Amino acid sequence: MVDKRIGYQPSNSMRELIRDNNLVLMAIGRFDIAFGFGDASVKEVCLENNVDVDTFLAVCNLLSGYHFSIDRLSLHSLMGYLMRAHSTFLDYTLPKIKYSLLEAINYSKANEVSLLLIKFFDDYVVEVKHHMDYENEVIFKYVENLLGGIIDDDFSFAKFSGHHSHTVTKLKELKDIFIYHYKQRDNSRLSAVLYDIINCEKDMMLHFEVEKNLFVPAVERLERNVRLRLEEVNGEVDKEEEEVDSPDMVLGEREKDIIRCVAQGKSNKEIAEELCISVHTVATHRRNIASKLGIHSAAGLTIFAIINNIVDLRDVNPHQ
């Protein structure tokens, strides 16, 4: 029996989850879990199918409106789920809707409205494919590198997550055009297609909720942890290479090098290349410098460098 106060648990049978919410069937398929599990528990089924139990439960609880947690998520398992969802949309759901639309409406060269509607749908599919291909090929690759302890400083996951949105707006518009503006009798087939579009719209919104509430927070947390580990490692290397900060807050030679480069208008990446250190080490030095001097802007550091003869005025970037 499902306790709705705490949501699905590993000890619940898979049958109980499905009876409580048929959407669990969708999750089962996208985690590549085989059917025919009888009365086995969620834990037993997941172990048999090599699926992370906590990740499966987090997705199912989210889909059912119950409490979920990202604390023990497996990003490998969650990415597999998301990639199979992408494949379902692109390889099955949307092509099926296109085929059914062509059968349901008066589609001919003489019917300009139907031509425009099909083109509207085709353009929407291209937009969805671009969105999902980008996640498959860029975002998931970035996360795989993170899981291996590697951060690509040329990529901003924060920019992706900040602009990440669902892809159902045009699908909803198409549905509304058919319902409120497209005049055609004998609409049995068209009604069935509209029902498929409504289900696809709901499915895509739930997919977006999984990405927004599970995937994005889990990646952001992993990214923070990897950065902290790399900074700790690079910090230990710096102590061996150069004098560390003294209690009287005097700048070290490496920190002066950093300030000089900043005054010359160089980016963190360019500074790292010039000084043969990592970008993470540059960022750590800049935080330490800001803490010591109380100066955070490049312009402020440039003025400080000029006043203290760290940089020659002729070498300063005039656009700081």
Side-chain angles (χ1 to χ4, degrees):
M1 186 73 178
V2 174
D3 187 339
K4 297 183 183 297
R5 295 170 300 175
I6 59 174
Y8 305 139
Q9 300 296 306
S11 57
N12 286 123
S13 71
M14 196 70 85
R15 188 191 295 265
E16 288 175 322
L17 270 63
I18 296 169
R19 285 175 176 169
D20 184 67
N21 184 1
N22 286 334
L23 287 176
V24 170
L25 285 169
M26 177 181 72
I28 289 172
R30 291 174 187 176
F31 275 105
D32 199 25
I33 293 174
F35 292 117
F37 36 70
D39 291 314
S41 69
V42 170
K43 183 176 181 179
E44 291 169 338
V45 173
C46 286
L47 288 175
E48 183 178 348
N49 289 271
N50 297 315
V51 172
D52 183 77
V53 180
D54 294 314
T55 307
F56 176 79
L57 286 172
V59 170
C60 291
N61 277 315
L62 184 151
L63 294 177
S64 300
Y66 298 139
H67 172 73
F68 60 87
S69 172
I70 69 166
D71 289 344
R72 295 189 298 273
L73 277 181
S74 162
L75 277 167
H76 277 301
S77 189
L78 186 57
M79 285 192 293
Y81 168 90
L82 294 173
M83 291 183 74
R84 279 184 284 272
H86 292 168
S87 178
T88 298
F89 288 124
L90 296 174
D91 299 337
Y92 175 74
T93 305
L94 293 174
K96 178 177 180 291
I97 290 174
K98 167 74 177 288
Y99 178 81
S100 299
L101 271 178
L102 291 173
E103 286 196 327
I105 65 177
N106 178 20
Y107 181 67
S108 68
K109 292 183 179 180
N111 189 336
E112 293 184 1
V113 174
S114 65
L115 285 171
L116 289 173
L117 287 169
I118 294 300
K119 183 179 185 304
F120 186 97
F121 181 77
D122 286 343
D123 290 343
Y124 169 71
V125 172
V126 170
E127 180 183 313
V128 172
K129 187 176 188 308
H130 176 76
H131 176 95
M132 293 183 174
D133 283 348
Y134 179 76
E135 291 183 357
N136 288 346
E137 297 166 11
V138 177
I139 302 302
F140 294 161
K141 181 180 178 182
Y142 175 76
V143 176
E144 288 287 354
N145 286 335
L146 275 182
L147 290 166
I150 302 170
I151 289 185
D152 181 359
D153 285 296
D154 292 330
F155 176 79
S156 172
F157 186 77
K159 183 176 180 180
F160 161 75
S161 60
H163 293 85
H164 183 241
S165 59
H166 61 72
T167 56
V168 301
T169 303
K170 283 189 177 179
L171 194 63
K172 184 178 184 301
E173 287 177 2
L174 179 67
K175 176 196 68 181
D176 290 345
I177 288 171
F178 275 117
I179 294 173
Y180 301 114
H181 305 290
Y182 186 75
K183 295 184 182 297
Q184 174 181 297
R185 293 186 178 278
D186 188 19
N187 283 328
S188 297
R189 285 185 175 180
L190 183 56
S191 296
V193 180
L194 291 174
Y195 183 74
D196 288 341
I197 291 175
I198 290 169
N199 283 334
C200 180
E201 181 185 332
K202 291 179 179 178
D203 192 0
M204 283 193 166
M205 280 304 301
L206 287 171
H207 177 76
F208 171 72
E209 291 299 314
V210 170
E211 291 182 327
K212 176 185 174 183
N213 295 295
L214 295 179
F215 179 68
V216 168
V219 174
E220 289 175 339
R221 184 176 63 176
L222 173 63
E223 191 178 52
R224 287 194 300 271
N225 290 338
V226 172
R227 287 192 186 280
L228 285 172
R229 287 198 298 269
L230 289 173
E231 287 173 6
E232 288 173 2
V233 170
N234 287 320
E236 291 173 4
V237 172
D238 291 342
K239 288 176 183 178
E240 296 173 0
E241 291 180 346
E242 61 189 41
E243 294 183 13
V244 293
D245 308 341
S246 59
D248 59 1
M249 307 299 277
V250 174
L251 292 172
E253 288 305 314
R254 181 52 58 88
E255 290 171 329
K256 291 178 183 178
D257 291 338
I258 299 286
I259 293 175
R260 186 179 301 109
C261 290
V262 170
Q264 292 169 349
K266 295 175 181 175
S267 68
N268 281 7
K269 184 177 181 182
E270 291 170 329
I271 296 171
E273 290 174 353
E274 178 168 327
L275 301 180
C276 298
I277 57 177
S278 73
V279 175
H280 306 292
T281 302
V282 174
T284 301
H285 278 307
R286 291 193 66 168
R287 281 196 296 272
N288 291 340
I289 292 166
S291 176
K292 288 181 179 184
L293 303 179
I295 300 173
H296 299 269
S297 68
L301 288 174
T302 300
I303 294 170
F304 175 87
I306 294 170
I307 291 173
N308 290 276
N309 299 314
I310 295 174
V311 66
D312 191 294
L313 183 59
R314 291 171 296 182
D315 296 327
V316 170
N317 184 348
H319 301 294
Q320 287 284 10

